[in-house]
């Protein structure tokens, strides 16, 4: 039996297997679009924010 899934980005149906190297995406393009959405914080995993993981405001922005 062949398992078919829809690409999360464009909804194109594809077979889940070694013949689809970008699974669950249909292509590298769709994979990069999804990565960009995560990087731009358009997507996120819901849940509580852990204040211990937030930067210390007294230390300033150490990443700039």
């Amino acid at each position: 039996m062949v398992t078919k899934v829809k690409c999360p980005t464009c909804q194109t149906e594809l077979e889940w297997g070694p013949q689809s190297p970008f699974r669950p995406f249909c292509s590298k393009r769709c994979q990069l679009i999804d990565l960009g959405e995560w990087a731009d914080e358009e997507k996120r995993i819901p849940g509580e924010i852990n204040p211990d993981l937030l930067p210390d405001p007294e230390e300033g922005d150490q990443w700039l």
Side-chain angles (χ1 to χ4, degrees):
M1 183 171 138
V2 175
T3 301
K4 295 201 176 214
V5 297
K6 287 191 177 185
C7 173
T9 303
C10 71
Q11 302 302 307
T12 298
E13 194 172 83
L14 64 135
E15 289 183 14
W16 185 275
Q19 70 280 12
S20 303
F22 303 108
R23 61 188 179 273
F25 304 98
C26 67
S27 65
K28 185 70 171 176
R29 178 182 177 274
C30 283
Q31 186 182 50
L32 291 173
I33 289 170
D34 185 75
L35 177 62
E37 290 171 348
W38 283 99
D40 288 340
E41 297 184 0
E42 295 172 27
K43 293 184 177 181
R44 66 180 87 184
I45 298 172
E48 299 287 323
I49 295 176
N50 182 342
D52 295 334
L53 298 177
L54 295 174
D56 187 348
E58 293 180 14
E59 291 181 18
D61 194 346
Q62 62 189 13
W63 300 109
L64 292 178

